[in-house]
Amino acid sequence: MAAQTDVELKKLMDAFVCVRLVQMGGVDLSVFQFDPFLSWSVFLMNGDKTIYGRYGRASPKTKRSRADSNPNHTLVGLKAALRKALEFHRGYARDPATYSRILAPKTGRTPIWKTVESTPSARKYRRVGRVQDGSPKSCIHCHEVQRMAIDSFFMTKRRVRDDMLWVYPSPESLGVELSVDHCARVTAVVDQSFAAKAGLRVGDDILTLNRQPLLSIADVQWVLHQFPDPGGKLSVEVLRGGKRLELALTLPDLWRQRGDFGWRYRVAGYAAWLWSGVTLQDHPEGIRVANLSPRWFKKPNPSARRVLRPGDVITAVDGKVGMTRSLYLAHLMRDKKLGSTVTLRVLRNGRAMEVRFKIPTTQPEVQGH
Amino acid sequence: MSKAIIRVSLLSVLWIPLAFGQGESEKLLKEALGDDQVSGDWVYEDIEAGYAKARKTGKPLLVSFR
């Protein structure tokens, strides 16, 4: 957040009613759905709960717990988002019927649990979501919301969905980089990527994605987060040289699984990281074991740690080859039962071998940071 | 920063609304969160008050989670 010395920002902020929520208790998750790995997230919306857009994102570049040093946020970018939100606000006042229809997809599907404190996980650990009796342990932080949802899925014998693991796919997963100083301006396009095949070019301003108007990169991620796994056509409206163009991105089946969620250790991959017992990196020949005992883990799986060594390269998991670290972690989360055995084909010092470990018989402890 | 210091800081910040009246608690919370130099007119920890104020003033809302 910037000081009052920025006159333009002050003028923009004065045009809003600003609310700061520090604790997640009581927050309506049918309205406020955002990237859980954030250090800072902003909703720009109407008093009737119509959402204009989101600002603030997480990426592998995000430094832990440091919103002011987050390379994904800039004041210039924030101001661009605020200006665009004010534009939507004026449009909504002028033509509520049209804007309601356009903005409706910015509100997500109704979640199973409307508040985080109503999840089975929160009830189990007696987390009320707000400080109670002076204990900050009762408070639930933003980054814990997704983790507790996954824990609640385990507790209620539901299968974890891909969109709970590969959450808020980044624009980079389409093969495009966007400027942090603009709403959604293209700064790079990777050859042969989905974005390149759609005809996106450097300098394009993406105005809408899947018909949703954008005011930030977070909005792009919101659209991708909502887009189904079977893929399909994703419409893109761009402003290029003063002209509006309609493009179409084609996303293949299981497009989401091409991304990486392994860096989101605090959120989606938490249980899987504990089960894997090690830290992992993608490697040209498979998945490399980077470390056995990360100090910020509480109870990494001892069975896995006994059979794996730093430097091992996992080339097959339960007979499946071509696994990335995210596919491996998802396999542990989605496909394995408590107490079951995982069989790994491993390259150790250039020698191939097979190792086995067991998934713990109890759910991982998901509380704490 | 050690975990103990973080816990004490969090406790002090989050206790404030419980220990003081609403106006005073907001002022103290703002200071404790380092928001005393932040632009804009802020409502703390009360989204319903934010909705009501937005409807009354005709302004849009900026809701910050951090």
Side-chain angles (χ1 to χ4, degrees):
Chain A
M1 285 291 183
Q4 297 189 14
T5 48
D6 188 322
V7 177
E8 188 192 8
L9 180 66
K10 184 175 184 327
K11 195 176 166 190
L12 283 166
M13 296 285 279
D14 285 344
F16 288 83
V17 170
C18 303
V19 179
R20 180 162 178 187
L21 300 177
V22 181
Q23 307 174 76
M24 284 305 293
V27 170
D28 184 349
L29 299 178
S30 62
V31 177
F32 295 105
Q33 296 175 18
F34 51 86
D35 190 333
F37 196 75
L38 56 85
S39 53
W40 182 48
S41 184
V42 170
F43 280 74
L44 301 166
M45 61 195 295
N46 190 283
D48 69 3
K49 304 184 185 177
T50 299
I51 295 170
Y52 299 138
R54 293 159 175 78
Y55 184 84
R57 65 176 298 223
S59 80
K61 295 175 187 169
T62 306
K63 291 179 185 172
R64 293 174 66 185
S65 305
R66 292 283 298 170
D68 53 352
S69 64
N70 190 324
N72 302 305
H73 304 150
T74 66
L75 275 181
V76 178
L78 174 63
K79 286 189 270 191
L82 295 175
R83 279 193 292 271
K84 187 67 93 174
L86 288 172
E87 192 183 301
F88 294 166
H89 187 64
R90 287 190 291 270
Y92 185 49
R94 199 171 53 242
D95 185 357
T98 303
Y99 273 79
S100 291
R101 181 174 47 77
I102 293 169
L103 297 169
K106 289 186 174 257
T107 300
R109 291 180 286 270
T110 304
I112 296 171
W113 299 286
K114 199 178 173 189
T115 60
V116 68
E117 67 270 24
S118 67
T119 61
S121 178
R123 292 204 300 269
K124 177 183 171 187
Y125 296 107
R126 296 180 185 170
R127 305 283 299 278
V128 296
R130 307 183 76 80
V131 172
Q132 193 177 53
D133 301 329
S135 168
K137 281 187 179 173
S138 308
C139 177
I140 298 172
H141 299 246
C142 303
H143 68 262
E144 293 180 283
V145 173
Q146 184 74 2
R147 187 195 306 168
M148 294 178 87
I150 289 174
D151 188 40
S152 298
F153 260 55
F154 285 137
M155 291 170 70
T156 53
K157 312 290 182 204
R158 290 175 165 89
R159 189 170 190 257
V160 174
R161 303 187 312 255
D162 278 2
D163 67 356
M164 300 176 74
L165 301 173
W166 282 274
V167 293
Y168 294 87
S170 69
E172 287 81 1
S173 66
L174 303 177
V176 67
E177 285 184 29
L178 302 177
S179 162
V180 291
D181 290 334
H182 295 81
C183 294
R185 178 169 292 177
V186 177
T187 55
V189 180
V190 176
D191 284 346
Q192 299 301 311
S193 64
F194 302 136
K197 288 172 185 167
L200 275 162
R201 292 186 198 163
V202 171
D204 284 350
D205 282 310
I206 305 175
L207 302 175
T208 67
L209 189 62
N210 210 21
R211 309 286 172 206
Q212 289 190 45
L214 307 175
L215 53 75
S216 73
I217 300 173
D219 274 357
V220 173
Q221 291 185 266
W222 169 254
V223 174
L224 295 177
H225 183 61
Q226 297 290 314
F227 200 68
D229 288 334
K233 296 269 187 199
L234 187 61
S235 70
V236 192
E237 187 186 11
V238 302
L239 189 65
R240 181 184 297 164
K243 289 183 183 169
R244 287 174 180 252
L245 296 174
E246 279 278 352
L247 306 172
L249 274 157
T250 304
L251 298 182
D253 193 20
L254 301 177
W255 65 275
R256 191 182 296 267
Q257 293 188 3
R258 297 181 183 212
D260 178 32
F261 68 81
W263 56 276
R264 296 172 177 271
Y265 52 86
R266 273 174 162 182
V267 194
Y270 195 74
W273 276 120
L274 289 171
W275 280 344
S276 78
V278 295
T279 55
L280 302 160
Q281 297 167 334
D282 283 323
H283 184 274
E285 292 178 79
I287 313 155
R288 184 176 174 275
V289 176
N291 199 336
L292 288 189
S293 52
R295 59 190 167 83
W296 31 270
F297 278 4
K298 287 185 174 176
K299 294 173 188 167
N301 184 351
S303 171
R305 287 152 53 86
R306 268 195 296 275
V307 297
L308 290 168
R309 304 277 180 277
D312 282 356
V313 176
I314 300 166
T315 56
V317 180
D318 287 334
K320 293 180 188 170
V321 295
M323 299 284 264
T324 61
R325 70 170 175 174
S326 291
L327 286 170
Y328 173 51
L329 294 171
H331 177 64
L332 299 184
M333 296 274 276
R334 285 178 322 200
D335 308 334
K336 302 302 288 190
K337 292 191 171 142
L338 294 176
S340 62
T341 301
V342 182
T343 304
L344 303 177
R345 191 83 182 151
V346 167
L347 276 177
R348 182 174 297 164
N349 301 322
R351 200 175 123 245
M353 59 174 66
E354 195 170 275
V355 298
R356 289 189 175 85
F357 71 88
K358 277 194 177 298
I359 299 284
T361 52
T362 54
Q363 281 177 224
E365 167 68 63
V366 300
Q367 299 303 296
H369 289 261
Chain B
M1 202 188 304
S2 74
K3 280 187 177 176
I5 294 173
I6 291 171
R7 285 196 185 117
V8 169
S9 306
L10 189 65
L11 183 65
S12 63
V13 165
L14 299 179
W15 246 98
I16 288 166
L18 304 175
F20 296 89
Q22 187 65 23
E24 187 65 14
S25 73
E26 272 201 15
K27 185 167 172 278
L28 291 171
L29 183 58
K30 199 167 182 175
E31 284 173 14
L33 292 169
D35 281 3
D36 44 331
Q37 292 297 308
V38 170
S39 295
D41 179 18
W42 287 79
V43 175
Y44 282 82
E45 292 294 274
D46 191 347
I47 188 63
E48 293 302 328
Y51 290 144
K53 197 170 179 181
R55 286 193 293 267
K56 189 178 172 187
T57 59
K59 289 181 179 181
L61 276 163
L62 182 158
V63 183
S64 168
F65 290 88
R66 191 183 169 193

